[in-house]
Amino acid sequence: MSKVTIIGGGGVRTPLVIYGLAQAQLGVDEVVLFDIDERRTETIARLGNEVLRGFGQPFEIRISTKLNEAAAGAQFVLNSVRAGGMAARARDERVAIENGLAGQETTGPGGAAMALRTLPITLGHASIIEHVAPDAWFINFTNPAGLITQALTQNTRLRVIGICDTPMELFHRIAGAMGEPLQEMVFDYAGLNHLGWVRHVYVRGEDVTERLLNDANLLSRLYPSDLFDPQLVQALRLIPTEYLFFYYSQRRAYRNQIRAGATRGEELQRLNEELFRQLATEDSAAALQTYRNYLSRRNASYMKLEGQGDSVFSTPKHEEDPFETATGYHRIALDTMRGLTSRDRREVVLNVNNHGAIEDLESDDVVEVPCDLDQDGPRPRTTGKLPDSVRGLVLSVKAYERTIIKAALSGSAATAQLALLEYPIIAQWEIAKDIIGKLTEADREYLGYLH
């Protein structure tokens, strides 16, 4: 392997990916950061080079504002785009709150806005990659990850895989709560991105699901905040990933945001502005420490605002090195890249075409399931039918995803409203119409194509 291209290379996660690439020793010669914000990307590249000093500069980091040059001949293209930046996320989330709904970037009105804003840009990027790097693996980080991955698989010829760290984060938390080594555990998992459940947990071949579900104390330790009533989890007989909070406890999330006086996007916008102000005046070594502190503060505050109404960012006293965490997007990205360059099969939870893995969905629907992964690509494992308690939710969210993709491709505001009508978080025509109207008016630069 020689070249990796990161679309959205000016993003705050990029130094983590650079660290992972250097640590993994995958034979990378060159990492090219493509982004429209050249100044910000230069700052991120400087951090990346400081990271590489600890590894003896194993590869070169370049920046580019021309995607055809940045991606030409790449073996891997990592897609991590935030169209409109954190300001657009904050604006989306505020529109949601104005309509009595929780503001969140991948679910509810915020997720729909992010999809509508991002899909035309991502498909445009994909058409360039098809010409300059047709054999590359296109690894999609961009949220909403499953929806964006589905649009890419259905409308391009690229070899696309969607990734998310949410399932692996839950697996690690279950292992930690039970005091068991992760490598001796197996998790039966299925769903969509940010809409998945662990159905069974095995330790050294023994099914321990009932023991886990019947222990309210264990269940309360599985999430970064007080998200789910243990009785809810016990009633489901399933262990939901954290984003189900925005479906199962939508009103509580909304009330906590009102109490905090902010959304996560608004808080992160302020935190990011503070970060880049500091980085602009510091030498490389000091900047890297500032960045570590930023990651620690961001990680420690995750889901606290929505789950508890706590909007305070503080650096935890005993937080592990954010570069060395066992989970995160950089870890799942590296696991995926290792798998795609190896003859040895490994299991990774990925967002891929269903191909019968979940019986209830179409073959070309993108699902989030365990896959067997090697140099020939991912092969989703068969998971059968979804439990009755979640089947309807999954089918309605997938219907929404299909329709919002149609809306982005056609530019139809009415189709976008239909998507929100199908979406169980919204599911009312008048509210859907008001949301689409407000989003379009607030974001003419990106959503002005809706008519």
Side-chain angles (χ1 to χ4, degrees):
M1 180 168 58
S2 57
K3 183 176 180 179
V4 175
T5 300
I6 303 178
I7 300 178
V12 293
R13 287 194 183 102
T14 296
L16 288 169
V17 176
I18 289 169
Y19 180 89
L21 289 170
Q23 190 178 53
Q25 298 181 340
L26 290 174
V28 176
D29 298 318
E30 180 183 32
V31 173
V32 184
L33 310 183
F34 166 76
D35 203 291
I36 59 173
D37 189 335
E38 190 169 6
R39 177 175 295 181
R40 177 170 167 146
T41 309
E42 287 171 351
T43 298
I44 293 297
R46 183 163 64 95
L47 286 175
N49 279 309
E50 184 64 21
V51 166
L52 291 185
R53 285 183 60 192
F55 295 94
Q57 295 294 137
F59 52 79
E60 179 188 4
I61 299 172
R62 292 196 299 109
I63 66 173
S64 177
T65 57
K66 296 180 179 179
L67 182 56
N68 58 347
E69 184 275 333
Q75 184 172 0
F76 288 102
V77 177
L78 310 184
N79 185 49
S80 182
V81 171
R82 183 180 294 282
M86 197 61 71
R89 172 181 174 176
R91 187 167 58 241
D92 297 341
E93 293 176 349
R94 185 51 54 185
V95 167
I97 286 177
E98 289 170 357
N99 282 271
L101 297 165
Q104 209 280 318
E105 70 168 330
T106 63
T107 63
M114 193 169 192
L116 290 168
R117 188 164 50 243
T118 305
L119 276 169
I121 294 169
T122 296
L123 292 174
H125 289 163
S127 67
I128 295 172
I129 305 301
E130 284 178 327
H131 287 93
V132 302
D135 298 323
W137 282 104
F138 192 95
I139 300 177
N140 180 54
F141 297 43
T142 297
N143 279 319
L147 191 160
I148 299 294
T149 301
Q150 178 148 333
L152 286 163
T153 59
Q154 293 179 344
N155 295 281
T156 78
R157 300 185 303 275
L158 294 174
R159 300 195 294 176
V160 180
I161 295 175
I163 64 170
C164 181
D165 62 331
T166 298
M168 184 55 70
E169 177 69 27
L170 181 56
F171 300 168
H172 275 268
R173 287 184 174 274
I174 293 172
M178 299 191 76
E180 297 287 355
L182 183 72
Q183 62 270 24
E184 296 182 12
M185 303 182 74
V186 173
F187 302 88
D188 174 12
Y189 175 88
L192 308 179
N193 179 241
H194 288 185
L195 198 82
W197 297 263
V198 172
R199 301 186 295 186
H200 291 278
V201 180
Y202 301 89
V203 177
R204 293 178 290 278
E206 177 190 359
D207 189 339
V208 298
T209 311
E210 289 303 307
R211 172 153 59 94
L212 175 59
L213 288 173
N214 291 331
D215 190 329
N217 180 55
L218 279 179
L219 293 178
S220 68
R221 292 156 52 196
L222 300 186
Y223 301 97
S225 182
D226 179 21
L227 300 182
F228 301 111
D229 181 344
Q231 289 185 345
L232 181 155
V233 180
Q234 290 167 342
L236 284 171
R237 312 311 292 172
L238 301 165
I239 303 170
T241 51
E242 62 221 33
Y243 284 91
L244 266 298
F245 177 69
F246 294 101
Y247 294 85
Y248 293 152
S249 299
Q250 169 71 207
R251 298 306 297 169
R252 180 153 68 98
Y254 168 74
R255 286 195 299 269
N256 282 338
Q257 289 176 338
I258 294 296
R259 183 155 64 92
T263 68
R264 174 75 169 172
E266 289 166 341
E267 293 280 283
L268 288 177
Q269 184 181 9
R270 288 193 286 269
L271 189 67
N272 287 0
E273 288 171 354
E274 177 188 333
L275 170 69
F276 281 94
R277 278 196 301 269
Q278 288 183 262
L279 296 180
T281 62
E282 295 176 336
D283 63 35
S284 295
L288 185 57
Q289 185 56 51
T290 294
Y291 177 71
R292 287 180 190 274
N293 293 341
Y294 160 86
L295 291 174
S296 294
R297 293 175 68 193
R298 179 170 174 150
N299 293 345
S301 67
Y302 180 60
M303 295 294 281
K304 296 291 194 300
L305 188 152
E306 298 88 349
Q308 301 168 197
D310 182 0
S311 64
V312 177
F313 283 94
S314 60
T315 302
K317 294 180 180 178
H318 303 293
E319 182 77 2
E320 65 180 316
D321 184 343
F323 283 95
E324 293 293 345
T325 55
T327 59
Y329 270 96
H330 64 304
R331 294 299 178 199
I332 191 68
L334 267 294
D335 283 348
T336 302
M337 294 167 73
R338 283 193 191 98
L340 291 170
T341 56
S342 174
R343 293 188 178 89
D344 298 325
R345 186 181 63 189
R346 65 176 62 205
E347 180 185 327
V348 184
V349 176
L350 298 168
N351 286 264
V352 296
N353 284 128
N354 185 32
H355 294 316
I358 297 177
E359 291 181 22
D360 310 271
L361 294 168
E362 300 297 326
S363 181
D364 66 344
D365 282 331
V366 164
V367 296
E368 188 170 80
V369 293
C371 296
D372 293 315
L373 183 67
D374 58 26
Q375 63 185 4
D376 295 323
R379 293 171 297 285
R381 293 185 177 180
T382 300
T383 62
K385 281 188 171 293
L386 294 166
D388 290 345
S389 57
V390 303
R391 184 180 300 119
L393 178 58
V394 170
L395 293 179
S396 60
V397 171
K398 182 51 72 175
Y400 148 76
E401 290 185 353
R402 295 187 195 114
T403 306
I404 206 80
I405 291 170
K406 291 178 184 176
L409 293 175
S410 67
S412 167
T415 304
Q417 290 168 213
L418 176 61
L420 298 194
L421 181 66
E422 295 172 327
Y423 199 13
I425 287 179
I426 301 168
Q428 295 184 61
W429 180 253
E430 289 78 14
I431 294 177
K433 185 175 183 179
D434 187 58
I435 287 170
I436 293 299
K438 285 181 176 177
L439 289 170
T440 304
E441 182 62 32
D443 195 6
R444 285 286 176 189
E445 180 180 358
Y446 288 98
L447 299 182
Y449 73 93
L450 292 175
H451 53 82

